[in-house]
Amino acid sequence: DQQVKQNSPSLSVQEGRISILNCDYTNSMFDYFLWYKKYPAEGPTFLISISSIKDKNEDGRFTVFLNKSAKHLSLHIVPSQPGDSAVYFCAARGAQKLVFGQGTRLTINP
Amino acid sequence: DTAVSQTPKYLVTQMGNDKSIKCEQNLGHDTMYWYKQDSKKFLKIMFSYNNKELIINETVPNRFSPKSPDKAHLNLHINSLELGDSAVYFCASSPTTGSTEAFFGQGTRLTVV
């Protein structure tokens, strides 16, 4: 019973274009949503977050959108750069813990 | 100067053995966690400790026993290892329980043969 799901295991985008990563959740009690980035042989690192009372948060090239009615959030990266190639995990906070999705591997092609 | 460090990075061991993974954080955080990345790649929380006290204990077999000698350390001991325990285990810390941001170690890849 996975409360946070990322249904695309991989995504390939051309350098300079927009990357859109998606995440769905089931628990309406989550109050914060986060994106983490993970390089091979490293632990996940925090990227950006959004409170459940907001619908958009922007930080440089990264924007997270939250659609509460659809229980859906997305991460937009624009423009995409080669260094963005990594696995991206969506996470949601509830009951004093973070619940993670299974990650989406993003590959930026030159 | 690694913020959250865990050792070893790789661990290969036979079924039935007992092994430990160590974790240390130098961030001054109060809360530490153990996560397991399973074969389906989900990162699932196993335990969380706040100032050496157990806060969260998910449905993890009793063979897994966390130990927190102080708030900077959270070690994971696993008894009678099984093939299904093979996974990547991540230690993490956060300023307080329920903080929105957690800092992760580099992971320990455990392979049980």
Side-chain angles (χ1 to χ4, degrees):
Chain A
D1 180 26
Q2 304 300 335
Q3 298 183 65
V4 177
K5 288 185 180 179
Q6 296 172 254
N7 292 317
S8 297
S10 63
L11 176 67
S12 187
V13 174
Q14 194 169 3
E15 183 179 357
R17 298 288 189 103
I18 183 170
S19 295
I20 300 176
L21 297 107
N22 294 303
C23 177
D24 296 300
Y25 63 95
T26 57
N27 187 343
S28 58
M29 299 302 291
F30 289 140
D31 65 348
Y32 253 95
F33 301 89
L34 306 91
W35 285 93
Y36 279 77
K37 178 178 180 179
K38 183 185 180 303
Y39 292 119
E42 294 183 12
T45 56
F46 171 76
L47 188 59
I48 191 170
S49 66
I50 186 168
S51 164
S52 61
I53 63 173
K54 298 191 173 182
D55 55 20
K56 178 182 174 181
N57 187 27
E58 190 172 351
D59 183 3
R61 298 185 298 112
F62 303 91
T63 303
V64 56
F65 294 92
L66 176 62
N67 182 334
K68 285 185 69 177
S69 60
K71 293 191 176 66
H72 178 86
L73 70 155
S74 60
L75 174 68
H76 293 211
I77 306 172
V78 56
S80 299
Q81 299 175 354
D84 296 330
S85 294
V87 175
Y88 289 79
F89 287 94
C90 168
R93 186 181 77 172
Q96 297 187 332
K97 64 183 181 183
L98 294 179
V99 180
F100 285 82
Q102 69 270 53
T104 296
R105 182 178 301 277
L106 175 65
T107 302
I108 306 300
N109 301 309
Chain B
D1 192 18
T2 307
V4 181
S5 60
Q6 51 184 110
T7 55
K9 193 169 182 178
Y10 300 97
L11 183 55
V12 180
T13 187
Q14 289 187 324
M15 282 175 56
N17 284 350
D18 303 339
K19 290 294 178 185
S20 292
I21 308 172
K22 296 186 176 182
C23 179
E24 176 182 4
Q25 55 97 3
N26 62 8
L27 297 167
H29 289 167
D30 284 346
T31 307
M32 295 187 72
Y33 311 84
W34 277 107
Y35 282 84
K36 177 182 180 180
Q37 187 175 24
D38 60 22
S39 57
K40 294 184 179 179
K41 304 300 182 186
F42 286 95
L43 266 169
K44 295 183 179 178
I45 191 167
M46 300 173 68
F47 304 100
S48 81
Y49 270 72
N50 189 64
N51 260 321
K52 302 191 298 177
E53 288 191 24
L54 181 66
I55 301 296
I56 292 174
N57 183 349
E58 295 292 290
T59 50
V60 177
N62 291 337
R63 299 181 294 104
F64 291 78
S65 54
K67 294 281 192 305
S68 183
D70 54 61
K71 76 172 193 177
H73 295 84
L74 181 62
N75 304 322
L76 183 65
H77 189 75
I78 314 170
N79 290 325
S80 303
L81 278 155
E82 301 176 357
L83 292 176
D85 297 331
S86 295
V88 182
Y89 293 85
F90 288 96
C91 175
S93 74
S94 64
T96 60
T97 302
S99 294
T100 57
E101 186 177 344
F103 295 78
F104 283 80
Q106 82 276 26
T108 296
R109 182 174 293 278
L110 171 66
T111 303
V112 182
V113 297

